[in-house]
Amino acid sequence: LHRLFRAVHPTLAELTDEIALFTAAGCDQAAILSALKKNIDITKLVTIMASERGSDGIERKAFRVCGGIPIDREGDFMLALNRATALLSDSHDYLLIFPEGTRSRTGELGDFKQGAAMISKETGIPIIPVCIRGTGKAMPVGKKCPKYLNPFKLKKYSLAVSFGESIYPSGKSVEEITSSLRARVAGMLK
């Protein structure tokens, strides 16, 4: 997968010294892991994803390998957030969370949930916005495996993972952090 993506971040090479909270719009864990694997130790990464994402064998295995924390979108999400906060404080350096909570069916940026901001505020850990472009065509909603070749153009789909500048939580409310994160990701999509 790493050959399909390009990663852009002004200080991504410095991440080995910084504990970070990655928030991704686009909901493609494989794309992000592929983009990050040369810059961080991905064994120190934990991921929060919807509990139903681990319903089949392949997804469940990938979820576990990536330190998956299941979150119940319809129930008590605080259990998952508390577990993620504890892991960041104890044994992991990075958290990947998808603030939209789902993949876009329209290609438009959705509303952001406040979980990432709550964790950032609680731990003091900065948020690094992540923007993934092209996954809507390469891996449409409902597909379990990406399509690598565009049959109409006979070439690979264009996919890109971009990393924005860190958002630090000090002096900001959860609402301000969430709003700033969404605005930053929206700016990255332009």
Side-chain angles (χ1 to χ4, degrees), residues 129-174:
V130 182
C131 178
I132 308 170
R133 288 189 187 89
T135 56
K137 291 180 182 173
M139 191 169 171
V141 173
K143 297 289 181 186
K144 297 204 184 275
C145 295
K147 301 184 290 184
Y148 293 109
L149 188 65
N150 182 336
F152 302 107
K153 296 184 179 180
L154 296 175
K155 64 179 186 178
K156 291 180 184 177
Y157 282 100
S158 176
L159 301 173
V161 179
S162 301
F163 298 85
E165 292 192 32
S166 299
I167 299 170
Y168 291 86
S170 71
K172 297 177 188 160
S173 69
V174 167

Side-chain angles (χ1 to χ4, degrees), residues 9-147:
H9 186 277
T11 58
L12 196 56
E14 299 168 11
L15 287 179
T16 54
D17 298 328
E18 181 178 2
I19 295 176
L21 182 69
F22 295 100
T23 56
C27 287
D28 190 331
Q29 183 178 10
I32 296 165
L33 293 176
S34 181
L36 285 174
K37 74 178 188 174
K38 291 182 181 178
N39 298 84
I40 68 167
D41 177 359
I42 61 171
T43 64
K44 293 186 176 273
L45 176 86
V46 65
T47 305
I48 292 181
M49 286 186 4
S51 55
E52 66 269 14
R53 292 284 304 188
S55 60
D56 75 19
I58 294 171
E59 277 188 316
R60 186 171 45 250
K61 188 170 188 168
F63 190 60
R64 285 185 190 151
V65 166
C66 295
I69 298 174
I71 189 165
D72 182 359
R73 289 195 256 197
E74 304 298 324
D76 185 6
F77 63 92
M78 286 306 296
L79 293 172
L81 297 185
N82 289 339
R83 182 165 176 224
T85 300
L87 285 171
L88 283 170
S89 299
D90 185 39
S91 60
H92 288 74
D93 291 341
Y94 311 103
L95 172 67
L96 173 60
I97 187 170
F98 301 95
E100 292 173 282
T102 190
R103 289 169 49 201
S104 174
R105 271 112 176 107
T106 64
E108 298 295 317
L109 190 61
D111 292 333
F112 278 27
K113 312 291 188 256
Q114 294 184 345
M118 292 168 73
I119 293 170
S120 180
K121 185 81 176 153
E122 174 75 22
T123 62
I125 295 172
I127 295 175
I128 298 177
V130 182
C131 178
I132 308 170
R133 288 189 187 89
T135 56
K137 291 180 182 173
M139 191 169 171
V141 173
K143 297 289 181 186
K144 297 204 184 275
C145 295
K147 301 184 290 184

Side-chain angles (χ1 to χ4, degrees), residues 168-187:
Y168 291 86
S170 71
K172 297 177 188 160
S173 69
V174 167
E175 293 78 15
E176 289 171 325
I177 296 167
T178 303
S179 178
S180 177
L181 175 59
R182 190 180 186 290
R184 189 125 349 140
V185 172

